C-alpha cells in the first residue's frame, strides 16, 4: 500500500466547534507531518512526528492539537478556530524524518 | 533562518517548448527535493538530489544540484499539457525542509 489517506475531504466548521482531521498510512513510514497550505502558496509545516513522538512544533497556535495514536495514524484536533485558519490541511509521511515525503490528498477546511 | 527562493513564479509555455525553474538557498543544503502539485491536487514527490553537482533525469525532466549545494534547477523539454501544475523545490538543512514559493506552469496548445 503506497497511499496516504485523509478524512474528511472537506470540512466546514464554526468558530466554536471541535473537530478532528485524520490521516492514515500503511507504508511503515516512521515520520509523519501536518502541513497547512493556502491558495497559491507552498505547504507550511505545522508539526512533525518521528517514531510516534512529537519532534517539531512550528510555533502553531494551541487551537491546533496533534496526536499520533500509533505508527499508522495521525490526527489533528481543531478547537476555536478562526476564519483565517481556512486552508488545505495536508498530511505527509516519510520513511524517516528528512527523507522524501508522500502527501495525502488533504482536507479542505472552511471556518465560518 | 533558512530560505529557499524559487523563480520564476509563473511560466507560460507553448506546447513543445522547453523551460527551466530555479531554486536558490541562503544556506548549504544536505539535499533538495522536487514536488509537483496539479491544480486541485496535492504535492507529489518527483526526486531527491543529495550529491554536489548531481544530475538526474526522468524522461523529459532534468534535475541538477549545484556544486555548492545551494542551488538547483528543473529543466523540462518539449513541454506537454500533462506538465501543467506547480513545481516546488524543497531544500533540507538541519532536519528542516523549506519549500520554495513554487513555479506555476501553464501550457498553450
Amino acid at each position: 500500500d503506497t497511499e496516504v489517506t485523509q478524512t474528511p475531504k472537506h470540512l466546514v466548521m464554526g468558530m466554536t466547534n471541535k473537530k478532528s482531521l485524520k490521516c492514515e498510512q500503511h507504508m511503515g513510514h516512521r515520520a509523519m507531518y501536518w502541513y497547512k497550505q493556502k491558495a497559491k502558496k507552498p505547504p507550511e509545516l505545522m508539526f512533525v512526528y518521528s517514531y510516534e513522538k512529537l519532534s517539531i512544533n512550528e510555533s502553531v497556535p494551541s487551537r491546533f492539537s496533534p496526536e499520533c495514536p500509533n505508527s499508522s495514524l495521525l490526527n489533528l484536533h481543531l478547537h476555536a478556530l478562526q476564519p483565517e485558519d481556512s486552508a488545505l490541511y495536508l498530511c505527509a509521511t516519510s520513511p524517516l524524518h528528512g527523507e522524501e515525503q508522500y502527501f495525502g490528498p488533504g482536507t479542505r477546511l472552511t471556518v465560518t | 533562518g533558512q530560505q529557499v527562493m524559487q523563480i520564476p513564479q509563473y511560466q507560460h509555455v507553448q506546447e513543445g517548448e522547453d523551460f527551466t525553474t530555479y531554486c536558490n538557498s541562503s544556506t548549504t543544503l544536505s539535499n533538495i527535493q522536487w514536488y509537483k502539485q496539479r491544480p486541485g491536487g496535492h504535492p507529489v514527490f518527483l526526486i531527491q538530489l543529495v550529491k554536489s553537482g548531481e544530475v538526474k533525469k526522468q524522461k523529459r525532466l532534468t534535475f541538477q544540484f549545484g556544486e555548492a549545494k545551494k542551488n538547483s534547477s528543473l529543466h523540462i523539454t518539449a513541454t506537454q499539457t500533462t506538465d501543467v501544475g506547480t513545481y516546488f523545490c524543497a531544500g533540507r538543512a538541519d532536519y528542516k525542509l523549506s519549500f520554495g514559493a513554487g513555479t506555476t506552469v501553464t501550457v498553450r496548445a
Side-chain angles (χ1 to χ4, degrees):
Chain A
D1 189 345
T2 57
E3 258 194 340
V4 178
T5 59
Q6 286 187 247
T7 56
K9 280 190 175 180
H10 301 274
L11 178 63
V12 179
M13 61 185 290
M15 289 190 285
T16 58
N17 291 160
K18 283 186 181 181
K19 296 286 184 183
S20 296
L21 309 185
K22 296 186 183 301
C23 174
E24 188 169 6
Q25 60 102 0
H26 294 289
M27 294 183 282
H29 288 179
R30 303 317 301 264
M32 299 184 77
Y33 311 78
W34 279 115
Y35 286 89
K36 173 183 178 180
Q37 187 178 31
K38 290 279 205 178
K40 301 186 187 300
K41 296 291 187 184
E44 180 184 337
L45 182 66
M46 301 174 71
F47 303 103
V48 180
Y49 274 82
S50 181
Y51 288 92
E52 300 157 55
K53 292 192 186 320
L54 183 65
S55 62
I56 295 177
N57 176 341
E58 289 286 325
S59 303
V60 179
S62 59
R63 57 186 184 268
F64 295 92
S65 175
E67 179 196 18
C68 189
N70 58 56
S71 60
S72 299
L73 294 174
L74 186 66
N75 298 323
L76 186 63
H77 303 298
L78 314 172
H79 173 53
L81 294 193
Q82 305 295 311
E84 58 264 30
D85 296 321
S86 298
L88 179 68
Y89 287 84
L90 293 160
C91 171
T93 72
S94 61
L96 296 172
H97 186 200
E99 298 180 344
E100 72 276 12
Q101 296 184 17
Y102 298 86
F103 285 81
T107 293
R108 190 158 298 281
L109 173 68
T110 303
V111 182
T112 60
Chain B
Q2 177 195 346
Q3 280 192 323
V4 175
M5 309 300 292
Q6 186 174 356
I7 57 169
Q9 186 177 1
Y10 297 99
Q11 185 78 55
H12 307 289
V13 188
Q14 180 72 41
E15 193 174 14
E17 290 184 343
D18 304 351
F19 75 90
T20 304
T21 172
Y22 301 89
C23 280
N24 285 288
S25 169
S26 55
T27 58
T28 302
L29 302 170
S30 54
N31 67 53
I32 193 155
Q33 300 165 13
W34 285 88
Y35 295 83
K36 177 183 179 181
Q37 186 170 19
R38 293 181 185 275
H42 58 276
V44 174
F45 173 72
L46 294 177
I47 208 156
Q48 177 173 277
L49 304 172
V50 179
K51 298 177 185 175
S52 169
E54 190 169 12
V55 178
K56 286 189 176 180
K57 291 192 175 186
Q58 287 181 351
K59 297 183 180 178
R60 295 178 294 102
L61 279 61
T62 301
F63 303 84
Q64 293 190 336
F65 201 10
E67 294 290 340
K69 299 184 72 171
K70 285 188 171 184
N71 57 75
S72 182
S73 64
L74 160 58
H75 181 77
I76 299 183
T77 58
T79 303
Q80 299 177 357
T81 54
T82 53
D83 296 323
V84 163
T86 300
Y87 294 83
F88 292 103
C89 63
R92 174 162 304 285
D94 297 329
Y95 281 98
K96 183 175 170 64
L97 189 69
S98 295
F99 279 81
T103 294
T104 297
V105 176
T106 55
V107 179
R108 300 189 300 274

